[in-house]
Amino acid sequence: MERLTQPEEEAMQVLWQLDGGFTKDVLDRLPEPKPPYTTLASTIRNLERKGYLSSEKLGNSYRFAPLVKAEEYRKRYMSDFVGDYFKNSYKELVSFFAKEKKISASELQEIIDMIENRKPE
């Protein structure tokens, strides 16, 4: 799975939320400053080329649908991120956020409770 650029990821976030749509649907939901329509259309076509989207021609336009689930991308992205920046150590990741005061002791305790109370699958 190829890593997405920032504009590609923003477009995918909208398409995941909508469970597919037209370029105009994506443009309407992107934050300001919005890219030009043609730029967004190229970005969406790149996503299709990379295998993230399928398209269906409806009249004079195309409706795009996600082929990759958001959760699947998130898992892959986070694994790569932790590998690239934290030596494949989730402990290092959590330590970083603790040192930067981005996570509180109570939030850490919630995480510990989630781990300890996880039901076997």
Side-chain angles (χ1 to χ4, degrees):
M1 187 182 311
E2 195 173 333
R3 184 177 261 172
L4 300 179
T5 65
Q6 185 67 28
E8 290 171 341
E9 193 168 310
E10 289 172 357
M12 279 305 298
Q13 292 291 346
V14 172
L15 287 162
W16 282 320
Q17 290 168 3
L18 296 174
D19 197 25
F22 297 90
T23 302
K24 184 177 181 334
D25 298 329
V26 176
L27 188 62
D28 289 345
R29 287 168 177 77
L30 286 175
E32 295 292 343
K34 295 179 188 292
Y37 181 92
T38 54
T39 301
L40 178 59
S42 293
T43 299
I44 290 174
R45 283 293 179 190
N46 285 339
L47 288 165
E48 183 179 25
R49 183 185 49 77
K50 289 180 177 182
Y52 281 86
L53 297 173
S54 64
S55 66
E56 175 186 8
K57 187 168 175 66
L58 297 172
N60 290 332
S61 58
Y62 289 88
R63 184 179 191 286
F64 297 92
L67 292 173
V68 175
K69 293 186 183 329
E71 185 64 24
E72 181 182 342
Y73 179 75
R74 188 177 307 121
K75 284 179 185 178
R76 176 66 183 266
Y77 177 80
M78 286 306 298
S79 292
D80 289 349
F81 179 79
V82 172
D84 292 346
Y85 294 98
F86 297 98
K87 299 177 257 174
N88 266 344
S89 170
Y90 286 88
K91 177 183 171 191
E92 291 289 327
L93 172 75
V94 174
S95 294
F96 170 81
F97 287 116
K99 288 175 191 168
E100 294 294 314
K101 298 181 181 167
K102 302 289 185 192
I103 190 167
S104 68
S106 64
E107 289 170 321
L108 282 172
Q109 188 57 54
E110 285 179 42
I111 293 169
I112 291 167
D113 291 345
M114 284 183 347
I115 293 167
E116 289 176 344
N117 295 321
R118 183 175 47 201
K119 295 180 176 143
E121 295 177 24

